[in-house]
Amino acid sequence: MRPLPLLPAFSLALHCATPCVVGQTYVDVTLGTGLVQAEFSSAEFGSGIAAGDIDGDGDIDLAVSNGDGGMLRLYRNDGGGQFTELPSLGSPPGQVHGLVFADVDNDGDQDLYVCGFRIPSMLFINQGGGTFVEEAASRGITHVTSNFGASFGDYDLDGWLDLYVSNRGAMNGRGQPNILYRNLGGGVFVDVSATAGVGDAGLTYAAAFCDVDEDGWPDLVIANDKGARGTPNEIYRNLGNGTFTAVGAQLRANSAIDAMGVDYTDVFNDGGVDLFFSDSAPDHLFLVQDRGTGAYVDFTTRCGMFSATDGWAVHFVDVDNDGWQDVHVVNSNWPNSVFRNPGQAVTQVGAWSDISAQLNLGQFYEQYSTTVLDFDDDGRLDFCHRFEQAGPPFGAPFGVGLMQGQGAVGQWIKFRTEGTVSNRDGLGTRVVVETGSHVQRQWVRSGIGFQSSSDPRLHFGLGAAQTVDRVSVRWPSGTEQLLRNVAASQIVTLVEPRFELAGIAAAGGSAVLQLDSPNDAGAGYAMVLAVSSMVPTPIPDGRTLPITVDALSAYSMSPGNILLAAPFGVVDGAGRASSALSLPNWPFLVGLTLSATALTVGAGGYPDVRTVFGDPVSFTVR
């Protein structure tokens, strides 16, 4: 570790003297929101708070854990800054820590995973109407471990969310291995840790699915405590065949620190996947990915990420909507930190200022967890803190504290993702926002921070821009879509485009190729057949069609061909288009496998391609 740069008293004085973001502040609105019933957390190292839309009305609700035998509370966001408490999920018979929302059964509503500490963990399945039923054991989740955190992601890209369980405890003097549960479909899980090779035996507080090499397969980033005396941090690369391999040393990311929380983003808006781990004093760990080699470089000292105490929850968050991701860190017995991104290129970057005191976010209460959300949907990000019960000077007034962002900030845009072929939550989706030459990238992610889960919607600050020039979306399925000239200051629902064959493709019969893409309403479309999909076909913008364009392709797109009745047309107002597929009654067609794909185009015609599908529709003629 690097030497402590400042004595604590001088550090606090410096903390209170850094520049302020003019016109911006955070106000504690807890008392008037209906959240004051939540008890203080009584678990060692805290307990979690989760943000998610449990009733499908579009705004963000909350789940709060007491931590040690207390109630699991649910709060419905009624809009207008008010929360109403729903029936409790009961009182677990011991300590619980992390809380994570995810749609494990792809039915369109949020289920809740609760991390049990040496008691069975729980999985509450959303029944609708604010009702949940605990079904962990019957769905294959049976471990009893020192479970602090969890992350959901689709590691095998089958459209179902898998679960990675972070264990920070010891049995027989050794760390408890983490657990990877594969979702077999419908929210039924099986432990595949051993065969997948990801049973990390470090003291893991947090982990997250994160596509570090951006090859489309979610990798795993592991934050291990006491790494100098045990197992350092690790990155497991997803090999795409159900197994992973450890590459932390190869990527210079196997740091031996006291890692508690983790988050990732493209910090410098120049490509790559950068990592931040909270740590104990004297600093944290800020790893910036070398854009050439893919390995990591330690930027902690360069950016002044110093700490006078233990850091816990950590989030990349654009507090002032200037288009650059800042870092919020929860400190257990010291004012929280907000390191402001100065908006410099990676080659020019210097120290980041801690502006938490000026924003009124420098809480000085005993705390481990927080969640980031926009509870009032006004485009200013808010924080909901989870507090421990303690005497002066660290005692908070309530068990949770809701800090509302107020004042002047930049423009913004927010995206909610809805998978159709990919997992319903769209976890793992990458969204790129371009305003002029400014390019930002984020991923829909789970398990970040520490013990808590944040607003799943992606929030982008836009500075002074009133319009987003381009929004590029890459879904876990590989489907890529493009939106142009999207107005700022709105929440956009991105629905994954879907292309499929309805009916049976038989010689002498007919079926229908169907395109469903609500974000493409009014765009043009083209559908095409091919004999093979072995070699994808590049298109001018760098993307590829998932077929091998051949003579059949040319014929199927020609006017009056007998195969596709409507190879070209316009997507209707609901985002749908279709074409009849008719196959002649020729014996040699039987048993032949064909492929089909589609694309959508904007007003600029073929150069303005909007949606390209990741996989073809392949079918064997009967």
Side-chain angles (χ1 to χ4, degrees), residues 529-542:
L529 297 174
V531 174
S532 172
S533 60
M534 294 295 292
V535 181
T537 301
I539 59 177
D541 64 6

Side-chain angles (χ1 to χ4, degrees), residues 469-484:
D469 300 320
R470 287 168 52 104
V471 178
S472 304
V473 185
R474 189 183 193 280
W475 296 88
S477 65
T479 292
E480 298 178 84
Q481 62 185 134
L482 172 67
L483 285 68
R484 292 187 183 274

Side-chain angles (χ1 to χ4, degrees), residues 251-252 267-268 270-276 285-291 294-300 303 346 349 352:
L251 297 180
R252 299 196 299 269
V267 174
F268 297 101
D270 60 353
V273 184
D274 307 312
L275 307 172
F276 193 100
L285 180 62
F286 181 25
L287 294 181
V288 176
Q289 192 174 44
D290 184 293
R291 284 26 175 177
Y296 284 92
V297 181
D298 187 345
F299 268 48
T300 312
C303 293
V346 69
V349 69
W352 295 24

Side-chain angles (χ1 to χ4, degrees), residues 1-17:
M1 301 292 290
R2 292 162 286 276
L4 186 65
L6 299 168
L7 293 174
F10 182 59
S11 175
L12 182 58
L14 189 66
H15 172 91
C16 297

Side-chain angles (χ1 to χ4, degrees), residues 143-207:
H143 63 275
V144 178
T145 61
S146 302
N147 183 194
F148 268 85
S151 179
F152 284 94
D154 185 5
Y155 83 91
D156 53 0
L157 301 182
D158 65 351
W160 299 96
L161 286 178
D162 311 301
L163 168 64
Y164 192 73
V165 174
S166 302
N167 294 319
R168 197 272 185 209
M171 294 188 305
N172 302 321
R174 301 182 63 185
Q176 294 172 316
N178 298 331
I179 302 170
L180 175 62
Y181 283 106
R182 182 184 177 220
N183 191 332
L184 300 177
V188 177
F189 295 87
V190 63
D191 183 346
V192 296
S193 312
T195 55
V198 292
D200 189 282
L203 301 175
T204 306
Y205 269 131

Side-chain angles (χ1 to χ4, degrees), residues 175-469:
Q176 294 172 316
N178 298 331
I179 302 170
L180 175 62
Y181 283 106
R182 182 184 177 220
N183 191 332
L184 300 177
V188 177
F189 295 87
V190 63
D191 183 346
V192 296
S193 312
T195 55
V198 292
D200 189 282
L203 301 175
T204 306
Y205 269 131
F209 285 100
C210 168
D211 188 2
V212 170
D213 53 5
E214 297 193 74
D215 65 349
W217 294 92
D219 311 304
L220 278 165
V221 175
I222 313 297
N224 283 331
D225 189 20
K226 312 301 181 189
R229 288 178 282 166
T231 303
N233 293 345
E234 188 57 270
I235 294 178
Y236 288 103
R237 174 169 289 154
N238 189 336
L239 300 180
N241 60 3
T243 67
F244 295 73
T245 187
V247 294
Q250 174 186 336
L251 297 180
R252 299 196 299 269
N254 62 333
S255 308
I257 64 171
D258 299 332
M260 273 73 97
V262 63
D263 197 2
Y264 62 92
T265 196
D266 181 1
V267 174
F268 297 101
N269 296 329
D270 60 353
V273 184
D274 307 312
L275 307 172
F276 193 100
F277 299 88
S278 56
D279 190 11
S280 56
D283 51 24
H284 302 294
L285 180 62
F286 181 25
L287 294 181
V288 176
Q289 192 174 44
D290 184 293
R291 284 26 175 177
T293 66
Y296 284 92
V297 181
D298 187 345
F299 268 48
T300 312
T301 300
R302 183 183 303 186
C303 293
M305 304 293 191
F306 298 118
S307 172
T309 186
D310 294 340
W312 298 87
V314 56
H315 298 92
F316 282 112
V317 52
D318 188 353
V319 293
D320 51 4
N321 285 349
D322 67 348
W324 297 87
Q325 293 287 304
D326 313 300
V327 179
H328 176 266
V329 182
V330 168
N331 298 314
S332 55
N333 55 5
W334 195 257
N336 294 341
S337 299
V338 178
F339 296 106
R340 185 170 187 262
N341 189 333
Q344 298 169 318
V346 69
T347 55
Q348 301 171 335
V349 69
W352 295 24
S353 298
D354 184 350
I355 60 171
S356 56
Q358 288 68 44
L359 294 175
N360 196 31
L361 284 174
Q363 277 75 22
F364 204 176
Y365 303 131
E366 185 177 359
Q367 176 188 1
Y368 300 92
S369 299
T370 196
T371 185
V372 181
L373 71 162
D374 185 359
F375 80 94
D376 51 3
D377 289 340
D378 68 350
R380 299 175 182 90
L381 288 174
D382 314 305
F383 293 85
C384 194
H385 299 298
R386 189 74 180 99
F387 295 126
E388 303 296 295
Q389 189 167 16
F394 302 126
F398 306 111
V400 300
L402 183 59
M403 303 297 293
Q404 182 185 46
Q406 298 183 3
V409 294
Q411 298 293 320
W412 58 277
I413 194 166
K414 201 183 302 289
F415 297 98
R416 171 185 173 270
T417 52
E418 182 180 315
T420 60
V421 179
S422 306
N423 66 88
R424 182 65 178 262
D425 287 341
L427 287 176
T429 301
R430 182 186 69 197
V431 178
V432 182
V433 166
E434 300 178 43
T435 50
S437 60
H438 192 65
V439 181
Q440 302 179 62
R441 308 187 318 150
Q442 292 188 50
W443 292 261
V444 185
R445 53 206 192 274
S446 167
I448 61 169
F450 174 74
Q451 295 190 146
S452 296
S453 56
S454 291
D455 192 331
R457 303 171 300 182
L458 293 183
H459 178 97
F460 291 85
L462 301 178
Q466 299 287 333
T467 302
V468 177
D469 300 320

Side-chain angles (χ1 to χ4, degrees), residues 79-100:
Q82 295 294 313
F83 289 84
T84 297
E85 186 168 4
L86 298 175
S88 166
L89 298 181
S91 300
Q95 286 192 26
V96 298
H97 287 284
L99 300 178
V100 184

